[in-house]
Amino acid sequence: MACKICQQFVLTVYLCKPSKGSQEAFAIMSHSGTLYVVATPIGNLDDITLRAIETLQQVDLIAAEDTRHSKVLLQRLQINTPMVSHHDFSSEQAIKQIIDELQQGKSIALISDAGTPLISDPGYRLVSLAREQTIAVIPIPGPSAITAALSVAGLPTDRFAFEGFLPSKSAARLARLHELRFDTRSLIFYESTHRIVSSIDDMQTEFGPQRLLFVGRELTKKFETHFNGTVSDCLVWLQSDGNQQKGEFVIIVAGSEVASAQQQLQQDALHLVARLREHLPMKTAVALASELTGAKKNALYQLALDQERK
Ligand code: SAM
């Protein structure tokens, strides 16, 4: 069966199959339709890609997180492709129905309310089952709040971790942030209007007031705002203007400069020595800092000497 979009007669799907203890690539010919995972705008409807429009026009069916929501986008694009609802609470039966249609050769586009499907959005079970059934799954990439924020945050992008939404209860949220406090990668979180202040407050508890972060609010929309600075300044910014607490948020926290509690302790002790040195000789400053922080005296003395020689 010819694919409506790529015009190929059959699709070649490459799989990895264990063979005598090794992984060997082999090709199978699939006569199924294709599942297209299509990114849609995260606010500004002009951010739809040409390929997304073409795909949504040409597929047999669109599986949408919320059909009423997506109708607005499709109407604007003058696309009349039939839609079916697909969300996190879709039954196994409903997912199987989409798989059956794909296996009958239909092409289906998966979209979510905004951005890239599966990124804190529904679609995982469908994509995973489609792959199990060797149905071709093709990305139609485009907007996502993660990449939009990361591209403008001015924080390191060479290594980052997407943490999605933090838990809604403060105790669980603090526990999650505690696990992340020495992660040296940039950390990306999604947050809603209801919890933006409490989440930043909990970040201050776990990451400290001086950790740098970026907050992207309402990206690509009319009231887009960006914050760059320390966690404590961010809290002041949010609390001093209720309007800044409204909308959708991406938070990117700079990675930790120290990789362990031991290193953190040493760094805190070193800062203290530097302050004490304004009034005291080195030996006394180190002894006092060691007593107050619990850092090992000899190691601290050496580090403090090295720091002063720099
Ligand atoms: N699939 C989407 C994506 O690719 O980014 C994310 C969907 S998730 C349900 C919605 C969350 O993404 C929002 O609560 C917010 O944290 C973030 N988000 C989505 N659009 C945004 C925007 N325009 N500005 C800032 N954050 C946004």
Side-chain angles (χ1 to χ4, degrees):
M1 179 163 306
C3 166
K4 279 187 171 183
I5 290 157
C6 64
Q7 304 302 321
Q8 283 169 4
F9 188 62
V10 283
L11 280 164
T12 305
V13 180
Y14 289 90
L15 295 175
C16 280
K17 188 184 177 195
S19 151
K20 291 182 190 153
S22 68
Q23 294 269 312
E24 188 180 284
F26 74 104
I28 60 151
M29 303 305 270
S30 165
H31 294 265
S32 299
T34 300
L35 176 63
Y36 295 92
V37 181
V38 181
T40 58
I42 57 168
N44 188 326
L45 296 189
D46 287 349
D47 288 338
I48 189 90
T49 68
L50 293 175
R51 215 169 147 227
I53 296 173
E54 203 175 82
T55 305
L56 295 172
Q57 275 167 344
Q58 293 183 7
V59 287
D60 296 300
L61 190 66
I62 298 172
E65 179 181 6
D66 179 342
T67 51
R68 276 173 310 174
H69 180 99
S70 294
K71 215 170 152 187
V72 177
L73 176 71
L74 296 185
Q75 268 173 355
R76 156 131 183 205
L77 299 171
Q78 298 180 322
I79 293 174
N80 302 313
T81 308
M83 270 196 285
V84 62
S85 150
H86 173 76
H87 44 71
D88 277 340
F89 309 104
S90 292
S91 63
E92 291 304 317
Q93 183 57 33
I95 296 178
K96 182 76 184 31
Q97 176 71 35
I98 297 179
I99 295 288
D100 284 350
E101 305 231 26
L102 286 161
Q103 283 172 328
Q104 285 160 24
K106 288 201 174 151
S107 55
I108 298 182
L110 172 68
I111 58 174
S112 62
D113 286 354
T116 302
L118 279 84
I119 305 300
S120 290
D121 264 345
Y124 166 68
R125 284 186 300 151
L126 177 61
V127 167
S128 147
L129 192 58
R131 287 222 164 261
E132 253 174 49
Q133 300 296 320
T134 67
I135 291 164
V137 184
I138 301 291
I140 308 293
S144 181
I146 302 178
T147 43
L150 205 52
S151 66
V152 296
L155 293 171
T157 53
D158 51 342
R159 291 177 69 229
F160 57 86
F162 176 56
E163 284 292 320
F165 287 97
L166 284 164
S168 54
K169 299 252 164 61
S170 185
R173 191 163 56 229
L174 282 165
R176 174 77 53 81
L177 292 170
H178 191 73
E179 280 171 23
L180 295 169
R181 70 200 189 287
F182 296 122
D183 200 315
T184 54
R185 298 168 295 179
S186 296
L187 300 171
I188 306 175
F189 302 91
Y190 278 173
E191 200 45 274
S192 71
T193 194
H194 312 292
R195 285 190 281 276
I196 184 69
V197 173
S198 26
S199 284
I200 300 287
D201 202 12
D202 288 347
M203 284 176 186
Q204 172 155 271
T205 307
E206 289 300 333
F207 300 151
Q210 294 309 312
R211 185 79 75 95
L212 293 177
L213 56 64
F214 166 85
V215 176
R217 169 179 168 265
E218 295 286 272
L219 297 171
T220 77
K221 301 189 208 175
K222 187 174 176 191
F223 296 109
E224 171 165 358
T225 42
H226 299 178
F227 172 89
N228 266 101
T230 63
V231 175
S232 66
D233 286 346
C234 181
L235 212 48
V236 172
W237 170 67
L238 286 170
Q239 284 168 335
S240 62
D241 181 357
N243 282 330
Q244 300 301 342
Q245 299 173 23
K246 292 182 189 153
E248 300 190 283
F249 300 85
V250 182
I251 306 166
I252 308 188
V253 181
S256 172
E257 283 176 10
V258 293
S260 67
Q262 185 57 34
Q263 273 187 18
Q264 180 72 61
L265 185 97
Q266 234 165 32
Q267 200 182 61
D268 292 346
L270 260 180
H271 282 142
L272 189 55
V273 171
R275 294 292 303 276
L276 292 170
R277 282 287 286 136
E278 289 165 20
H279 310 283
L280 297 169
M282 179 65 100
K283 269 198 173 163
T284 321
V286 168
L288 213 56
S290 154
E291 199 178 316
L292 289 170
T293 62
K296 290 206 173 88
K297 197 157 71 180
N298 289 347
L300 184 60
Y301 188 77
Q302 198 50 54
L303 284 171
L305 274 183
D306 291 348
Q307 198 175 49
E308 284 202 3
R309 280 192 201 121
K310 272 184 197 161

